[in-house]
């Protein structure tokens, strides 16, 4: 096996591209990220690893805008992310220049995935070590979208998905608890999924919300703390209800 | 003959352009908007070769938008003007654009500003400027009546004087003009001055 994992362009005898699989490992070591689609809103949440004391946390933005109506969060090698994001931003403007229309979410996802795939089939390069969650609203519609790409260049649309550290637990949680939601309920679902694997608190998660009307909005720490408090209260109430379902009413 | 002119007021900048699209002796349309909204607080009034005008200003607009996404903050008016000038200069001795531009903008820190950029990549920061045959009239009028810190009413009054002068004294004067203004609240269309309206199609 060792002979087949050096160069990206070499298949192993059992049909694996080891460099791509190792890139997926890099993604699995990256920070947790979750995306949830509602009926009129789509939400991205990303784990924020505790910042070094001297680091200016405002310079580390994990959820970025690609255009007014499309945003992206990723898990994996952040330096690779910068390159992909830059190319995607250029493509968004280039598309507007040549066809006088903003990109659809699917178009820009296909572009990013295409870029990731190119780097799995060229000599002398390695794949991008990141998976992305792309959200947005197509122009001229009110329909929100959520897409996921990975280092192999595969992409697909999702109702809710997670990537990065412990993504399997988050995805399991989402599969169990997903239902069509809108507005604040969608935000809560995303944060609840993230809290399954991240230490609770506003300073440990970054959340951004996209609506058709307001575009991308990053939630402030205080807002996130408030929602987390609501979620914990709901959890506590559910626990209490479970413990004493037949408690007699006080007279 | 295309007329573009503009001036800076106390906390705004105004630009005016004619709205006729002409090819040789034919007027294609008389409501062609030649003032593009570059971003929320910038206006670019352009005159010259029609293809170049649209291609070049749209190219500048998309690059200004890209800068904002990459860096999280918009370009200043001065930076946008210098970028525009740089693109004209680079193309000048290979494949020049025949476009004259007045770039008006408002920055929170420095207030309103107006930049004169001609087709051979001259760049000047000015209080008032004009392009085309109309400039012979509008510059003279603005020299006479302009003072710094004009209010919107005073500025529009001066603009109207210039439009009247162009209409009466220029042999092939364009009939219609559009006025756009940029201030702390953003760039927007202020008014049209029409002396010829495209006739509405009579109903059967």
């Amino acid at each position: 096996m060792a002979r087949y994992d050096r160069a990206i362009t070499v298949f192993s005898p059992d049909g694996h591209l080891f460099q791509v699989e190792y890139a997926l490992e890099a993604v699995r070591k990256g920070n947790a990220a979750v995306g949830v689609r509602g009926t009129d809103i789509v939400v991205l949440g990303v784990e924020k690893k505790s910042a070094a004391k001297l680091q200016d946390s405002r310079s580390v933005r994990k959820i970025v805008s690609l255009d007014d109506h499309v945003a992206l969060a990723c898990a994996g090698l952040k330096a690779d992310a910068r390159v992909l994001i830059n190319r995607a931003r250029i493509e968004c403007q280039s598309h507007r220049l040549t066809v006088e229309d903003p990109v659809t979410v699917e178009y820009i996802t296909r572009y990013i995935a295409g870029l990731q795939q190119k780097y799995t089939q060229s000599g002398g390069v390695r794949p991008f070590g990141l998976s992305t969650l792309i959200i947005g609203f197509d122009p001229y519609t009110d329909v929100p979208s959520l897409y996921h790409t990975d280092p192999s260049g595969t992409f697909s649309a999702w109702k809710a998905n997670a990537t990065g550290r412990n993504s399997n637990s988050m995805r399991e949680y989402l599969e169990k608890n997903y239902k069509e939601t809108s507005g604040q309920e969608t935000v809560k679902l995303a944060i609840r999924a993230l809290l399954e694997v991240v230490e609770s608190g506003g300073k440990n998660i970054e959340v951004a919300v996209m609506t058709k009307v307001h575009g991308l909005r990053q939630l402030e720490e205080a807002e996130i703390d408030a929602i987390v408090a609501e979620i914990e209260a709901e959890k506590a109430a559910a626990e209490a209800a479970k413990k004493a379902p037949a408690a007699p009413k006080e007279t | 003959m295309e007329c573009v002119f503009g001036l800076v007021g106390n906390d705004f900048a105004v630009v005016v352009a004619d709205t006729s699209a002409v090819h040789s002796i034919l007027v294609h349309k008389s409501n062609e908007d030649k003032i593009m909204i570059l971003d929320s607080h910038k206006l670019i009034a352009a005159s010259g070769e029609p293809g170049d005008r649209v291609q070049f200003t749209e190219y500048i607009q998309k690059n200004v938008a890209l800068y904002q996404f990459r860096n999280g903050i918009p370009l200043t008016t001065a930076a946008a003007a210098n970028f525009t000038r740089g693109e004209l200069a680079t193309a000048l001795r290979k494949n020049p654009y025949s476009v004259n531009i007045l770039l008006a903008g408002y920055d929170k820190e420095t207030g309103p500003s107006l930049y004169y950029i001609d087709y051979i990549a001259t760049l000047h920061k000015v209080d008032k400027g004009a392009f085309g045959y109309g400039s012979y009239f509008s510059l003279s009028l603005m020299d006479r009546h302009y003072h710094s810190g004009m209010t919107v009413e005073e500025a529009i009054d001066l603009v109207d004087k210039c439009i009247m002068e162009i209409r009466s004294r220029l042999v092939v004067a364009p009939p219609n003009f559009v006025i756009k203004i940029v201030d702390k609240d953003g760039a927007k269309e202020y008014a049209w001055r029409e002396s010829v309206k495209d006739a509405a199609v009579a109903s059967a």
Side-chain angles (χ1 to χ4, degrees):
Chain A
M1 282 302 140
R3 287 210 306 284
Y4 304 102
D5 69 350
R6 280 294 104 140
I8 181 62
T9 49
V10 181
F11 271 112
S12 73
D14 57 346
H16 290 258
L17 281 172
F18 278 113
Q19 282 298 306
V20 176
E21 300 197 358
Y22 297 160
L24 280 155
E25 255 312 300
V27 170
R28 256 174 250 128
K29 297 218 166 23
N31 50 248
V34 71
V36 180
R37 187 186 80 192
T39 53
D40 60 349
I41 192 176
V42 58
V43 182
L44 280 174
V46 179
E47 167 192 11
K48 249 194 325 203
K49 292 226 177 71
S50 52
K53 280 223 181 75
L54 294 172
Q55 187 180 64
D56 186 347
S57 55
R58 285 168 307 167
S59 68
V60 189
R61 274 253 153 271
K62 304 220 168 144
I63 303 173
V64 295
S65 259
L66 297 181
D67 202 340
D68 297 320
H69 61 302
V70 188
L72 173 152
C74 56
L77 268 47
K78 286 292 176 284
D80 287 1
R82 265 206 326 271
V83 173
L84 264 183
I85 289 168
N86 193 38
R87 297 286 297 271
R89 282 172 168 159
I90 293 173
E91 181 60 21
C92 284
Q93 294 306 313
S94 181
H95 187 275
R96 279 182 185 252
L97 186 59
T98 48
V99 307
E100 284 216 2
D101 246 353
V103 296
T104 58
V105 190
E106 199 249 348
Y107 176 93
I108 197 66
T109 306
R110 206 165 351 109
Y111 177 81
I112 292 174
L115 213 45
Q116 287 180 291
Q117 191 280 341
K118 233 183 275 222
Y119 282 71
T120 69
Q121 216 177 3
S122 303
V125 299
R126 62 162 177 81
F128 288 99
L130 68 143
S131 292
T132 69
L133 285 170
I134 300 167
I135 63 169
F137 284 81
D138 281 352
Y140 315 119
T141 71
D142 292 325
V143 178
S145 310
L146 168 66
Y147 283 83
H148 172 260
T149 75
D150 68 22
S152 67
T154 335
F155 75 94
S156 51
W158 292 74
K159 294 185 195 155
N161 199 2
T163 183
R165 208 165 61 82
N166 299 118
S167 57
N168 289 326
S169 330
M170 286 193 284
R171 208 172 303 116
E172 252 181 69
Y173 178 86
L174 285 167
E175 281 176 11
K176 246 190 278 182
N177 295 283
Y178 180 83
K179 52 186 197 307
E180 285 280 313
T181 51
S182 69
Q184 197 69 339
E185 278 309 305
T186 317
V187 184
K188 273 215 211 137
L189 180 54
I191 296 182
R192 252 185 271 132
L194 207 45
L195 289 177
E196 291 283 303
V197 305
V198 174
E199 223 183 278
S200 113
K203 3 186 230 339
N204 299 312
I205 48 183
E206 192 176 308
V207 180
V209 157
M210 177 161 304
T211 50
K212 180 74 187 181
V213 172
H214 299 289
L216 187 73
R217 190 173 72 89
Q218 309 264 7
L219 266 53
E220 314 227 343
E221 213 178 284
E223 269 186 273
I224 301 176
D225 277 330
I227 301 176
V228 168
E230 256 184 75
I231 292 173
E232 314 243 281
E234 282 170 16
K235 256 201 235 164
E239 286 289 314
K242 245 194 285 174
K243 282 220 180 84
K249 287 224 167 67
E250 301 282 342
T251 46
Chain B
M1 287 291 96
E2 299 197 336
C3 303
V4 174
F5 62 95
L7 57 118
V8 175
N10 61 3
D11 61 352
F12 66 94
V14 61
V15 280
V16 186
D18 76 286
T19 60
S20 49
V22 168
H23 186 100
S24 157
I25 58 167
L26 175 67
V27 178
H28 278 300
K29 60 195 291 219
S30 34
N31 58 355
E32 168 83 359
D33 188 349
K34 298 178 191 169
I35 307 181
M36 167 180 285
I37 292 182
L38 197 61
D39 75 10
S40 63
H41 286 74
K42 292 182 194 44
L43 288 169
I44 198 164
S47 73
E49 198 73 54
D52 282 352
R53 175 169 51 81
V54 175
Q55 283 290 89
F56 184 71
T57 53
E58 282 188 356
Y59 172 74
I60 299 296
Q61 187 190 53
K62 300 309 184 242
N63 273 283
V64 168
L66 182 61
Y67 179 95
Q68 187 163 345
F69 280 108
R70 275 190 174 143
N71 299 284
I73 52 167
L75 276 168
T76 59
T77 310
N82 277 283
F83 171 68
T84 305
R85 188 240 153 220
E87 289 299 306
L88 283 168
T90 309
L92 182 61
R93 294 181 195 267
K94 292 192 183 116
N95 196 4
Y97 294 103
S98 306
V99 192
N100 296 309
I101 284 169
L102 279 178
L103 200 158
Y106 185 93
D107 303 302
K108 237 182 351 170
E109 298 80 17
T110 52
S113 49
L114 183 65
Y115 287 86
Y116 171 104
I117 308 169
D118 77 9
Y119 71 106
I120 42 176
T122 311
L123 173 68
H124 289 305
K125 183 174 186 301
V126 294
D127 287 330
K128 49 186 159 27
F131 283 110
Y133 286 123
S135 68
Y136 291 112
F137 309 106
S138 48
L139 276 174
S140 309
L141 269 174
M142 288 196 286
D143 281 345
R144 170 69 182 81
H145 293 289
Y146 176 89
H147 58 88
S148 65
M150 293 174 86
T151 64
V152 178
E153 290 73 27
E154 290 175 319
I156 297 299
D157 196 54
L158 178 50
V159 161
D160 280 328
K161 281 198 175 73
C162 293
I163 292 176
M164 283 290 106
E165 194 71 9
I166 291 170
R167 274 191 183 142
S168 56
R169 287 298 187 183
L170 190 53
V171 60
V172 251
N176 301 336
F177 290 81
V178 64
I179 305 171
K180 293 200 184 175
I181 197 166
V182 60
D183 59 20
K184 68 179 188 335
D185 300 320
K188 59 184 182 294
E189 193 174 282
Y190 180 86
W192 284 70
R193 299 285 186 246
E194 291 174 302
S195 62
V196 165
K197 266 206 173 65
D198 281 333
V201 176
S203 52

